[in-house]
Amino acid sequence: MRKIAVLTSGGDAPGMNAAVRAVVRKAIFEGLEVAGVLNGYQGLIEGKIELLQLGSVGDIIQRGGTMLRSARCPEFKTAEGREKARRQLKLNGIEGLVVIGGDGSFRGALELSALGMPCVCVPATIDNDIVGTQFTIGFDTALNTIIDAIDKIRDTATSHERTFIVEVMGRDAGDLALWAGLAGGAETILVPEESFQLTDIIERLKSGSGRGKKHSIIIVAEGVMKAEELAIQLKNEADIDTRVSVLGHIQRGGSPSGQDRVLASQFGARAVEVLKEGRGGIAIGMRNRQVVDYELKEVFDKKGDPPMEMIQLSKELSI
Ligand code: ADP
Ligand code: F6P
């Protein structure tokens, strides 16, 4: 292997830059040429590929977003689109590709690997929803952004003795909601991994206020329902007034945490090692504090375990 490329794809995540930096520096350290693909799979199809040097990735480790830009690319979901992408890689003399992104990007990489282009995937998404790795790049930073928001909301909730509903991202996964709710001391946490009864929430709010508790914070994962919808249901069913806060894309930005920078550096470097060994169709992950690599198809063949212990803990601590 003499030349590899790297791209970022799907929803951006804090720490993607640190991962790009690690790929570029490790590749050069190993004597490989390394190119950056702009705008994810879209840029790959369009041939937006440029050679990167050590200095190209200077001063980015601390920055959120991605210097390579990201995109969602419907054309890459078609066989024709992927063939165009494969041809561009060949044209540029690229023999292996590091894909930094979420599970959609991983699916694309699996398809591209099947066309004979070895791809290694680095998990980067705030959702923390990739099977086979305990953590994804960006999750820790987003978690801390949400905790900061909950702390601030708690101040005003206490002052005005109000119930707040805070909606957080995560797509179909509840990790962000669960971890942030636990860390922020939320009274109720709703995640897609477990169904809930409106009557239970009403009961909790009422028994809390019966004990003199004047404020309450409910965290709802976007995969459960919209916060606004829950507010309407609480009003209609129990005449409970709430305020709603939808944190939105703030959760995707900001300088990556130390944990995300280190994770990104470890993942990026391992991805280059795997490509150098001539392997493709591989995902990089973290298990019990060890960096691991495993077959990309396991991400889709296996099912992640729902975080039942943490759900139970959050209930026990918010009685
Ligand atoms: P993420 O990678 O953050 O999960 P998306 O789900 O939007 O984000 O996926 C990113 C891109 O990966 C998509 O825009 C598309 O180009 C590609 N992709 C997603 N699913 C597939 C698929 N089944 N086959 C091929 N490419 C895919
Ligand atoms: O996958 C990351 C994520 O931020 C999800 O949490 C969210 O559902 C989605 O992307 C939002 O996507 P977009 O930026 O396209 O609105």
Side-chain angles (χ1 to χ4, degrees), residues 9-11 41 72-73 76-77 82 102-105 107-108 111:
S9 167
Y41 291 129
R72 306 206 198 261
C73 172
F76 196 75
K77 291 188 177 175
R82 289 194 295 276
D103 64 346
S105 305
R107 275 189 191 280
E111 301 271 8

Side-chain angles (χ1 to χ4, degrees), residues 68-99:
L68 292 178
R69 311 291 182 242
S70 194
R72 306 206 198 261
C73 172
E75 192 182 353
F76 196 75
K77 291 188 177 175
T78 67
E80 296 76 31
R82 289 194 295 276
E83 181 49 31
K84 281 188 204 168
R86 192 196 63 82
R87 248 186 279 129
Q88 287 290 356
L89 288 165
K90 281 275 169 217
L91 215 58
N92 284 273
I94 290 158
E95 296 167 296
L97 178 67
V98 178
V99 171

Side-chain angles (χ1 to χ4, degrees), residues 87-224:
R87 248 186 279 129
Q88 287 290 356
L89 288 165
K90 281 275 169 217
L91 215 58
N92 284 273
I94 290 158
E95 296 167 296
L97 178 67
V98 178
V99 171
I100 303 170
D103 64 346
S105 305
F106 278 31
R107 275 189 191 280
L110 187 60
E111 301 271 8
L112 198 54
S113 295
L115 293 182
M117 175 54 60
C119 295
V120 177
C121 291
V122 168
T125 162
I126 65 166
D127 302 336
N128 205 38
D129 60 349
I130 295 188
V131 174
T133 183
Q134 281 165 338
F135 294 106
T136 58
I137 297 166
F139 172 67
D140 184 62
T141 307
L143 170 64
N144 283 294
T145 300
I146 300 169
I147 292 168
D148 186 48
I150 295 173
D151 291 348
K152 287 175 173 147
I153 285 170
R154 186 176 291 286
D155 288 345
T156 178
T158 312
S159 304
H160 286 265
E161 301 184 343
R162 278 173 171 159
T163 293
F164 268 80
I165 306 171
V166 182
E167 181 184 313
V168 305
M169 281 186 168
R171 209 180 286 237
D172 301 323
D175 279 30
L176 275 177
L178 190 54
W179 285 61
L182 198 52
E187 279 71 19
T188 302
I189 306 169
L190 304 180
V191 292
E193 289 83 356
E194 199 192 45
S195 58
F196 77 95
Q197 299 294 328
L198 190 67
T199 46
D200 290 343
I201 302 179
I202 294 168
E203 187 49 44
R204 279 169 89 83
L205 289 170
K206 287 193 170 154
S207 78
S209 88
R211 291 196 322 268
K213 206 166 165 43
K214 296 285 192 281
H215 68 268
S216 184
I217 294 182
I218 301 169
I219 307 290
V220 57
E222 66 174 351
V224 173

